[in-house]
Amino acid sequence: MGSAPLLCEGRVVIVTGAGRGLGRAHALAYAAEGARVVVNDLGVGLDGSPGPGSPARQVVEEIRAAGGEAVAHGGDIATAEGAASLVRTALETYSRLDTLVNNAGFLRDRMLVNLDEDDWDAVMRVHLKGHFLPLKHAVAHWRTEAKAGRTPRARIVNTSSGAGLLGSVGQGNYSAAKAGIIGLTLVAAAETARYGVQVNAIAPAARTRMTEDTFAATMAAPGSPNAFDAMAPENVSPLVVWLGSDACAGVTGRVFEAEGGRITVMEGWRPGPSADKGARWTPAEAGDTAVRLLAGAEVPGVVYGAQ
């Protein structure tokens, strides 16, 4: 019997923040499924290009050593020029672009009363703006293709977090940015469908540089038949690869939680209990009605760290 066809054969995939952690795992997984990968990471040399010791270059070397194709990009994707050059790198190197995985990010955790404006701006810039700008430039290319009669089968996978879904104590900036990414995902899915673009988001839980103190290794003893490191970032990548492939046709505007061996479709805000007086409430009436409605509403999930 012949081997199964590769899921992303012939596709060109950009992964931002792909030098380490989840991004590295995604880049390697895409390459293993036949994709040609643009590996973005800001670990750059003095001239702004990824040098031999940069994390992006190291991942490219890993992919090439395994027989795959990849190119490094060291630009700052939270700038217009960096995001534009990222898309140009894919087009100039491989003459096409099929999938964008927005993954880059970092943490500056503080309780809100101790959170500096610079810490707020920096996290918003890298996570939220760093999703918007590559998305904008990739979609601009795909729109041009669609208008020329070459409608793509394009995919965007954004990276949110459980912190963006429920909130996380000490991570007000990060939680707000990750919640914003979900909103961006929903709008982008609605606006870009006409151009052949599908946009989804993941909320992963895995051990990376950002979370290594939170998620210790949970793997069984080496050689054990049940050996499985539930917090390994590689566990998240199969879903990301599928979402970036042709195989997920028709799936868009969705958020998936991925952790270990578990995948969950997340269900967002939707109307719950409601009351309509047909006229203006008094404050007392509004309060009484709100209390009554809350009694019949689902209890929200607990904010991470609140217990």
Side-chain angles (χ1 to χ4, degrees):
M1 291 181 63
S3 58
L6 297 176
L7 201 61
C8 294
E9 188 73 58
R11 292 181 73 82
V12 174
V13 178
I14 289 172
V15 184
T16 70
R20 302 179 179 90
L22 282 165
R24 172 182 173 274
H26 299 341
L28 293 173
Y30 271 110
E33 287 292 337
R36 292 166 287 176
V37 186
V38 179
V39 179
N40 164 265
D41 200 278
L42 196 53
V44 299
L46 292 177
D47 63 352
S49 61
S54 78
R57 180 64 66 187
Q58 291 171 11
V59 174
V60 166
E61 290 171 357
E62 283 187 76
I63 290 172
R64 291 176 177 172
E69 295 183 57
V71 63
H73 177 270
D76 182 356
I77 47 82
T79 67
E81 176 50 36
S85 73
L86 177 64
V87 172
R88 281 201 307 270
T89 296
L91 298 177
E92 292 174 359
T93 306
Y94 300 121
S95 301
R96 62 182 297 132
L97 173 61
D98 300 284
T99 298
L100 167 65
V101 179
N102 283 315
N103 168 77
F106 66 83
L107 297 177
R108 289 195 183 178
D109 293 351
R110 300 283 190 280
M111 301 298 279
L112 289 172
V113 295
N114 297 320
L115 186 62
D116 292 336
E117 186 177 354
D118 288 346
D119 293 329
W120 175 274
D121 289 345
V123 168
M124 286 293 174
R125 176 184 181 276
V126 172
H127 285 276
L128 195 48
K129 191 175 181 182
H131 270 60
F132 161 63
L133 287 174
L135 182 153
K136 174 183 177 178
H137 286 277
V139 170
H141 164 68
W142 290 323
R143 180 181 63 177
T144 298
E145 290 291 288
K147 288 184 175 181
R150 298 183 296 270
T151 301
R153 296 188 300 275
R155 307 288 186 259
I156 297 176
V157 185
N158 291 330
T159 305
S160 183
S161 167
L165 298 168
L166 294 174
S168 180
V169 171
Q171 294 188 310
N173 50 359
Y174 179 75
S175 296
K178 289 303 193 183
I181 287 168
I182 294 173
L184 176 65
T185 298
L186 301 179
V187 172
E191 290 187 356
T192 66
R194 72 189 72 178
Y195 308 130
V197 184
Q198 293 180 190
V199 189
N200 295 285
I202 60 163
R207 186 178 55 256
T208 67
R209 286 195 304 167
M210 293 198 301
T211 61
E212 59 188 357
D213 292 335
T214 303
F215 300 129
T218 56
M219 186 169 59
S224 165
N226 297 318
F228 175 56
D229 183 355
M231 289 295 105
E234 290 79 8
N235 299 331
V236 177
S237 299
L239 175 62
V240 174
V241 169
W242 182 79
L243 288 171
S245 74
D246 279 347
C248 77
V251 179
T252 193
R254 293 289 194 163
V255 179
F256 297 84
E257 194 171 62
E259 175 183 346
R262 178 174 58 84
I263 295 172
T264 305
V265 176
M266 305 305 289
E267 297 181 340
W269 294 105
R270 62 189 62 209
S274 177
D276 185 354
K277 180 182 176 180
R280 183 179 300 137
W281 304 93
T282 68
E285 288 174 333
D288 289 342
T289 302
V291 169
R292 176 169 55 83
L293 295 175
L294 287 168
E298 291 188 14
V299 177
V302 178
V303 173
Y304 289 112
Q307 293 181 319

